[in-house]
């Protein structure tokens, strides 16, 4: 039987902030993450150890990781693209990393200056080295149903990467609809094909951007397929700088409203998340993208 518990992975501090043009002060990021640590979330992706020339917003990753209040029962993964990123992350004693590959050749080159084949080789080395040091590794696959440059993506490209990353030792693969072009049956089709890679759906997570307003229906479709881990961003922050027009992730508030409404347990306090969404939106001087937050705040 499928469990009633759903794991929510908050990616706001990383995916949410990486697309912000104005550099957010380190203290604000730290306060944001510390508030998230008090909401019941058990997985918070806090920053990325990528090239600051590519993503200037993430230049303070080592400081962020050192300054945040790390609770013992919470995992604080960081995104890592290569060996240099892993080495820098290890210097500040990171316990979990996330590596990222793309199912689209063009997106891979735009995002990491690297072919899919080459990035797989790099990923393998990084994963092996991380595991040697007892660092957990999560894997991402971008463009699972569509690419901003190539359009439709072959499902085979997704299943190949998923099999590869699981074999390398990733404990979970987060499937990214990077530009939010999926619809329920397209997502279900990918998940059905992935059952041939692993029949344990707990190996997979769904990472929906809400560009076309399809995130929640795709999440519901994934729930029906047995997925029990979802990535989201408080206030719907986010987007990938190498995917023009990509809007934020599904808002954590909206995701929680759906899950709790369906009597699924997350351990996360929705009211606290709403307050954090307001905090970070006002800091960024951005409109909060969560509909659930707007409704709750209007009461
Ligand atoms: P490159 O320019 O080809 O790198 O970039 P390089 O190896 O040729 O090195 C060039 C310079 O960068 C060198 O410095 C390196 O030391 C430095 P220099 O000698 O010129 O002074 N460098 C680094 N510095 C800090 N940290 C590092 C690092 N690596 C090299 N880790 C690279 C290749 C992969 C580094 C670059 O393309 C990059 O950082 N890309 C990351 C882009 C990114 O962060 N994208 C967003 C995250 S992915 C995403 O959002 C999708 C996701 O949310 C899922 C979904 O929605 O689908 C996960
Ligand atoms: Mg993303």
């Amino acid at each position: 039987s499928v469990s009633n518990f759903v794991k929510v992975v908050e990616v706001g501090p990383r995916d949410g902030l990486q697309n912000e043009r104005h550099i957010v002060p380190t203290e604000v990021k730290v306060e944001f993450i510390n508030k998230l640590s008090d909401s019941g979330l058990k997985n918070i992706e806090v920053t990325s150890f990528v090239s600051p020339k590519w993503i200037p917003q993430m230049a303070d990753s080592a400081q962020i990781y050192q300054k945040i209040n790390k609770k013992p029962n919470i995992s604080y993964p960081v995104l890592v693209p290569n060996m240099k990123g892993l080495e820098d992350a290890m210097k500040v004693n990171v316990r979990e990393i996330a590596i990222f590959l793309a199912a689209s050749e063009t997106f891979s080159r735009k995002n990491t200056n690297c072919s899919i084949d080459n990035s797989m080789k790099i990923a393998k080395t990084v994963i092996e080295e991380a595991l040697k040091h007892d660092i957990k590794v999560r894997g991402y696959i971008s463009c699972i149903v569509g690419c901003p440059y190539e359009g439709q993506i072959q499902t085979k490209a997704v299943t190949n990467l998923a099999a590869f990353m699981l074999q390398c030792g990733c404990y979970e693969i987060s499937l990214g609809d990077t530009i939010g072009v999926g619809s329920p049956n397209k997502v279900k089709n990918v998940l059905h094909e992935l059952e041939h890679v692993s029949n344990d759906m707990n190996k997979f997570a769904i990472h929906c951007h809400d560009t076309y307003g399809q995130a929640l229906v795709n999440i519901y479709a994934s729930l029906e397929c047995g997925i029990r881990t979802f990535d989201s961003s408080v206030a719907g922050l986010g987007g990938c700088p190498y995917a023009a027009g990509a809007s934020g992730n599904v808002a954590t508030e909206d995701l929680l409203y759906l899950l709790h409404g369906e009597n699924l347990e997350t351990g996360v306090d929705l009211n606290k998340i709403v307050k954090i969404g307001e905090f970070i939106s006002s800091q960024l001087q951005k409109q909060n993208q969560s509909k659930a937050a707007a409704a709750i705040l209007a009461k």
Side-chain angles (χ1 to χ4, degrees):
S1 76
V2 213
S3 147
N4 242 20
F5 188 80
V6 172
K7 183 167 99 186
V8 174
V9 178
E10 172 62 42
V11 297
R14 193 279 303 170
D15 203 332
L17 297 183
Q18 75 182 10
N19 210 28
E20 283 300 312
R21 272 199 310 122
H22 301 288
I23 301 296
V24 180
T26 304
E27 305 74 61
V28 172
K29 295 175 183 171
V30 170
E31 191 179 349
F32 178 35
I33 296 162
N34 286 345
K35 286 177 190 291
L36 291 168
S37 286
D38 276 330
S39 70
L41 285 161
K42 292 284 177 275
N43 297 271
I44 308 170
E45 195 174 74
V46 288
T47 186
S48 52
F49 286 77
V50 295
S51 163
K53 282 178 199 148
W54 284 61
I55 314 275
Q57 185 68 260
M58 295 286 127
D60 58 356
S61 49
Q63 286 179 64
I64 296 287
Y65 196 83
Q66 284 176 298
K67 285 186 174 172
I68 56 170
N69 212 335
K70 291 180 280 294
K71 290 194 174 174
N73 56 343
I74 300 181
S75 193
Y76 298 95
V78 304
L79 215 62
V80 161
N82 55 18
M83 223 36 171
K84 160 106 174 96
L86 177 63
E87 282 160 9
D88 291 350
M90 279 172 42
K91 282 182 197 152
V92 293
N93 295 316
V94 162
R95 302 309 311 149
E96 176 173 345
I97 62 166
I99 57 128
F100 51 109
L101 300 175
S104 151
E105 188 62 43
T106 315
F107 186 84
S108 180
R109 289 169 193 268
K110 299 266 186 192
N111 196 35
T112 55
N113 199 23
C114 205
S115 68
I116 296 177
D117 271 357
N118 226 343
S119 56
M120 287 166 80
K121 290 194 187 103
I122 293 170
K124 189 171 196 292
T125 324
V126 172
I127 297 167
E128 276 170 4
E129 187 65 19
L131 293 177
K132 252 191 244 168
H133 293 86
D134 275 327
I135 295 169
K136 285 179 78 180
V137 187
R138 188 173 200 240
Y140 274 108
I141 303 174
S142 284
C143 305
I144 62 150
V145 282
C147 164
Y149 309 103
E150 293 184 11
Q152 253 185 304
I153 291 297
Q154 298 293 316
T155 305
K156 192 79 196 144
V158 180
T159 52
N160 279 346
L161 290 180
F164 173 77
M165 285 199 282
L166 286 175
Q167 215 160 41
C168 287
C170 290
Y171 74 90
E172 177 178 289
I173 309 297
S174 178
L175 305 160
D177 185 2
T178 315
I179 52 166
V181 290
S183 52
N185 283 306
K186 287 192 182 127
V187 172
K188 279 185 170 178
N189 177 54
V190 173
L191 293 175
H192 288 317
E193 291 302 320
L194 282 166
E195 282 170 14
H196 302 294
V197 173
S198 170
N199 54 16
D200 178 5
M201 281 291 119
N202 286 319
K203 293 277 177 211
F204 303 112
I206 290 280
H207 177 105
C208 289
H209 286 266
D210 201 28
T211 318
Y212 289 84
Q214 305 298 300
L216 281 182
V217 281
N218 290 334
I219 286 167
Y220 190 76
S222 311
L223 274 170
E224 288 188 320
C225 292
I227 297 290
R228 289 295 178 270
T229 302
F230 298 97
D231 300 357
S232 62
S233 281
V234 170
L237 300 172
C240 179
Y242 299 100
S247 70
N249 297 90
V250 65
T252 306
E253 297 88 329
D254 298 359
L255 174 65
L256 292 174
Y257 187 85
L258 168 69
L259 296 172
H260 297 169
E262 295 296 307
N263 292 320
L264 294 162
E265 285 167 34
T266 63
V268 186
D269 184 334
L270 173 55
N271 289 317
K272 283 188 178 171
I273 292 290
V274 168
K275 288 200 185 112
I276 301 168
E278 285 294 288
F279 163 78
I280 194 63
S281 299
S282 78
Q283 289 292 332
L284 302 176
Q285 297 181 286
K286 282 188 93 167
Q287 205 183 336
N288 190 328
Q289 297 299 310
S290 164
K291 287 204 165 183
I296 290 164
L297 289 164
K299 278 204 289 196

